[in-house]
mmCIF file of all heavy atoms in Angstrom:
data_model
loop_
_atom_site.group_PDB
_atom_site.id
_atom_site.type_symbol
_atom_site.label_atom_id
_atom_site.label_comp_id
_atom_site.label_asym_id
_atom_site.label_seq_id
_atom_site.Cartn_x
_atom_site.Cartn_y
_atom_site.Cartn_z
ATOM 1 N N MET A 1 -17.072 12.127 -0.708
ATOM 2 C CA MET A 1 -15.714 11.622 -0.408
ATOM 3 C C MET A 1 -14.880 11.643 -1.686
ATOM 4 O O MET A 1 -15.223 10.963 -2.649
ATOM 5 C CB MET A 1 -15.829 10.201 0.169
ATOM 6 C CG MET A 1 -14.495 9.480 0.375
ATOM 7 S SD MET A 1 -13.444 10.168 1.649
ATOM 8 C CE MET A 1 -14.234 9.479 3.110
ATOM 9 N N CYS A 3 -11.744 10.722 -2.019
ATOM 10 C CA CYS A 3 -10.533 9.903 -1.906
ATOM 11 C C CYS A 3 -10.431 8.919 -3.070
ATOM 12 O O CYS A 3 -11.347 8.130 -3.320
ATOM 13 C CB CYS A 3 -10.562 9.155 -0.579
ATOM 14 S SG CYS A 3 -9.279 7.911 -0.449
ATOM 15 N N PHE A 5 -8.595 6.260 -3.430
ATOM 16 C CA PHE A 5 -8.586 4.835 -3.081
ATOM 17 C C PHE A 5 -9.991 4.356 -2.683
ATOM 18 O O PHE A 5 -10.352 3.208 -2.980
ATOM 19 C CB PHE A 5 -7.570 4.548 -1.976
ATOM 20 C CG PHE A 5 -6.131 4.717 -2.414
ATOM 21 C CD1 PHE A 5 -5.112 4.835 -1.482
ATOM 22 C CD2 PHE A 5 -5.790 4.757 -3.765
ATOM 23 C CE1 PHE A 5 -3.786 4.993 -1.882
ATOM 24 C CE2 PHE A 5 -4.469 4.913 -4.177
ATOM 25 C CZ PHE A 5 -3.465 5.035 -3.231
ATOM 26 N N CYS A 6 -10.770 5.214 -2.035
ATOM 27 C CA CYS A 6 -12.166 4.842 -1.744
ATOM 28 C C CYS A 6 -12.945 4.689 -3.051
ATOM 29 O O CYS A 6 -13.787 3.795 -3.179
ATOM 30 C CB CYS A 6 -12.824 5.878 -0.840
ATOM 31 S SG CYS A 6 -12.258 5.786 0.884
ATOM 32 N N HIS A 45 -11.189 3.918 5.394
ATOM 33 C CA HIS A 45 -10.461 5.158 5.128
ATOM 34 C C HIS A 45 -9.946 5.790 6.425
ATOM 35 O O HIS A 45 -10.720 6.115 7.308
ATOM 36 C CB HIS A 45 -11.377 6.164 4.416
ATOM 37 C CG HIS A 45 -10.718 7.477 4.153
ATOM 38 N ND1 HIS A 45 -10.216 7.830 2.925
ATOM 39 C CD2 HIS A 45 -10.433 8.519 4.976
ATOM 40 C CE1 HIS A 45 -9.666 9.022 2.995
ATOM 41 N NE2 HIS A 45 -9.785 9.460 4.235
ATOM 42 N N HIS A 96 -5.169 8.325 2.410
ATOM 43 C CA HIS A 96 -5.841 7.079 2.828
ATOM 44 C C HIS A 96 -4.686 6.103 3.025
ATOM 45 O O HIS A 96 -3.968 5.812 2.052
ATOM 46 C CB HIS A 96 -6.808 6.650 1.712
ATOM 47 C CG HIS A 96 -7.528 5.354 1.934
ATOM 48 N ND1 HIS A 96 -8.863 5.189 1.598
ATOM 49 C CD2 HIS A 96 -7.106 4.164 2.420
ATOM 50 C CE1 HIS A 96 -9.227 3.942 1.873
ATOM 51 N NE2 HIS A 96 -8.172 3.299 2.371
HETATM 52 ZN ZN1 ZN M 2 -10.194 6.678 1.244
#
Side-chain angles (χ1 to χ4, degrees):
M1 173 68 79
C3 170
F5 292 163
C6 286
H45 178 101
H96 177 140

